[in-house]
Amino acid sequence: MLEERGIKINVEPEEEPTKESEVFYNDDMILNRDISVSALKTYRKDQNIDLKVLDALSGSGIRGLRYLKDVPGLEKVTMNDTKPEAEENIRENLGINDLPDEKTEVTGKDANVLMTERRKGYHYIDLDPFGSPARFLDSTARSLKHDSFVGITATDLATLCGTYVKTCRRRYSTWVKNMPYHHEVGLRVLIMKVFNSFAVHDKVFDPKLCYAKKHYYRIFGEVRETKKGVNRSLDKIGFITACRSCGYRNMVEEREHVGERCPKCGENAERLGPLWIGKTGRKGFIKNVRKDLEEKGIENAVELVSKLEKESEIKKPFYDTHNIGNITGMPAVRRKNILGKLEEKGYNAVETHFSPTGIKTNAPIEDIVSISKELNRHK
């Protein structure tokens, strides 16, 4: 018997759960679920109706059970898993926690079949698959209501980051390579895939809170059925122009012409994408999620979301101090020292959650390099 945030589940812990596990439960995803509960709670506060929720790939049911316990204003939570052992375990866990039957439903269908059958059936869908969510996105779009919310996890990071270029092209219809800021590239590829998949159904996906952590990416966003909204957001799909020699990177819209040479140093430049070039979060929403987590005293989640709040306004991909050191041919300097100098020059510069040595800033690469050299000279 395990317990997570006041919910008890009858599951045998595994050192490394796999998709072959009879009942899937991963304690490495507790942080994911902590933020998910606060994100759904934050979204619900802005709605005037009780929400119908689907936990499409439930495993032990821990995610849906936590929604039932901690998020007010839910009309019904459907927990679904195609494995009979998981379905039985979910029912058992519901009984253990004495949660109201009238607010729960347990199903054992293929997730794509269930969501396709229940067209426009849910205000919120949680999609937490083993690996890529790509094969579930079309049916997810069908099953979301006109105005809705969605939380999506991906664990195929090597593919999204560009380690497996052909797999990334096949699965996400994009071309990327493994860059020093690869986790941000991967997160932006995932957002682009969700946006495009939903746009086919005339639904616009608006990212509210997105992050990379350990072995997974997690994105939350509002979904609205509006052709005009989709059209207005099309310019948020574009490319990153990147130079490995000098560290230059810039995000451009799809229609913009990009030369083969870096505009800063003249070396060959790479074009990564298409991917999402808009904001990866909304500061006001993230702030409210952070406040809810603070009230609960979940310190590791507060630390992560606080960084997301600060960096949400900066669109340019992050810089890593070690990579800057490689570019200058000098030792890497401390992150806080670079941030201090950038702020003195009037730039927006903050720590990023993507890397313990990364910075998010609107400063041009030449100023970052110049500051790094200056700090080295004064050591």
Side-chain angles (χ1 to χ4, degrees):
M1 188 76 69
L2 299 176
E3 185 170 336
E4 178 179 312
R5 307 297 187 211
I7 292 289
K8 295 178 181 179
I9 55 172
N10 188 18
V11 175
E12 291 294 327
E14 298 179 280
E15 285 190 13
E16 190 171 345
T18 69
K19 60 182 177 181
E20 280 75 35
S21 301
E22 286 189 358
V23 179
F24 190 87
Y25 172 81
N26 188 352
D27 61 2
D28 280 342
M29 298 297 252
I30 293 175
L31 175 67
N32 180 316
R33 293 187 284 270
D34 287 338
I35 294 174
S36 297
V37 169
S38 292
L40 181 56
K41 187 176 177 181
T42 299
Y43 174 73
R44 171 60 186 83
K45 284 181 178 179
D46 295 331
Q47 309 306 306
N48 295 319
I49 57 173
D50 289 348
L51 306 182
K52 292 182 178 179
V53 171
L54 172 64
D55 181 11
L57 303 156
S58 291
S60 67
I62 182 62
R63 192 178 294 266
L65 293 168
R66 289 192 57 186
Y67 288 148
L68 280 164
K69 175 181 177 291
D70 293 329
V71 182
L74 302 186
E75 179 180 335
K76 180 166 283 190
V77 175
T78 300
M79 288 168 279
N80 175 73
D81 200 287
T82 188
K83 291 185 177 181
E85 300 89 351
E87 183 183 354
E88 181 182 347
N89 186 253
I90 294 168
R91 296 183 189 279
E92 180 183 2
N93 293 332
L94 277 167
I96 292 170
N97 292 279
D98 195 28
L99 292 165
D101 291 340
E102 68 275 10
K103 285 194 172 186
T104 62
E105 179 187 27
V106 183
T107 56
K109 292 191 174 185
D110 177 278
N112 278 322
V113 172
L114 176 66
M115 290 188 287
T116 300
E117 288 177 348
R118 299 186 178 185
R119 186 178 180 87
K120 296 182 180 178
Y122 296 101
H123 302 96
Y124 173 68
I125 294 178
D126 196 300
L127 197 59
D128 186 40
F130 191 94
S132 171
R135 66 192 184 278
F136 299 105
L137 294 177
D138 186 69
S139 56
T140 300
R142 293 177 189 275
S143 198
L144 286 167
K145 290 183 178 290
H146 295 281
D147 295 295
S148 50
F149 192 57
V150 66
I152 299 172
T153 304
T155 59
D156 58 333
L157 271 59
T159 296
L160 283 161
C161 289
T163 301
Y164 304 116
V165 176
K166 289 185 177 179
T167 304
C168 189
R169 289 182 66 186
R170 182 180 72 245
R171 192 174 289 167
Y172 294 100
S173 304
T174 192
W175 185 91
V176 296
K177 297 180 82 173
N178 200 337
M179 305 297 286
Y181 42 96
H182 57 266
H183 281 311
E184 182 165 0
V185 169
L187 189 67
R188 290 181 177 280
V189 168
L190 178 61
I191 297 171
M192 179 271 296
K193 179 67 175 179
V194 174
F195 176 88
N196 284 344
S197 298
F198 288 12
V200 172
H201 300 271
D202 296 329
K203 293 179 177 178
V204 61
F205 175 75
D206 181 15
K208 293 294 186 181
L209 186 157
C210 306
Y211 67 93
K213 185 69 176 178
K214 289 185 178 179
H215 65 288
Y216 69 90
Y217 298 150
R218 181 70 166 165
I219 65 175
F220 296 93
E222 287 193 30
V223 180
R224 289 173 288 108
E225 188 164 340
T226 159
K227 293 178 184 178
K228 290 182 179 179
V230 173
N231 291 341
R232 283 194 297 269
S233 293
L234 289 174
D235 61 1
K236 295 175 184 176
I237 302 295
F239 295 85
I240 294 177
T241 303
C243 177
R244 293 183 186 270
S245 296
C246 73
Y248 169 82
R249 76 284 308 265
N250 189 33
M251 295 194 294
V252 298
E253 295 178 20
E254 284 184 295
R255 63 176 177 266
E256 292 185 46
H257 174 74
V258 180
E260 296 181 356
R261 297 287 178 178
C262 172
K264 295 297 181 181
C265 70
E267 295 294 326
N268 289 333
E270 296 177 280
R271 196 178 193 218
L272 311 177
L275 42 66
W276 183 259
I277 60 172
K279 293 180 180 180
T280 58
R282 299 290 178 177
K283 192 170 185 178
F285 182 88
I286 298 171
K287 178 181 179 180
N288 290 332
V289 173
R290 189 250 305 160
K291 286 182 176 179
D292 187 68
L293 291 164
E294 285 177 338
E295 289 176 6
K296 297 172 183 173
I298 306 176
E299 293 182 3
N300 61 338
V302 171
E303 181 182 1
L304 171 59
V305 174
S306 295
K307 289 181 179 178
L308 298 178
E309 184 182 350
K310 292 175 182 177
E311 64 182 287
S312 62
E313 297 298 308
I314 304 173
K315 291 194 290 186
K316 186 179 289 187
F318 79 92
Y319 299 90
D320 191 278
T321 56
H322 290 295
N323 182 239
I324 296 298
N326 293 335
I327 292 168
T328 62
M330 304 172 78
V333 297
R334 297 181 69 180
R335 178 167 66 174
K336 71 174 185 178
N337 294 341
I338 291 183
L339 291 174
K341 289 292 185 179
L342 287 169
E343 289 171 353
E344 285 178 13
K345 288 180 173 288
Y347 293 117
N348 189 358
V350 298
E351 295 180 353
T352 177
H353 81 284
F354 287 110
S355 166
T357 54
I359 59 173
K360 270 274 196 179
T361 180
N362 59 350
I365 182 62
E366 54 266 32
D367 279 11
I368 300 171
V369 169
S370 175
I371 287 171
S372 180
K373 289 180 177 178
E374 178 188 347
L375 290 168
N376 264 296
R377 284 194 295 267
H378 290 88
K379 278 186 177 179

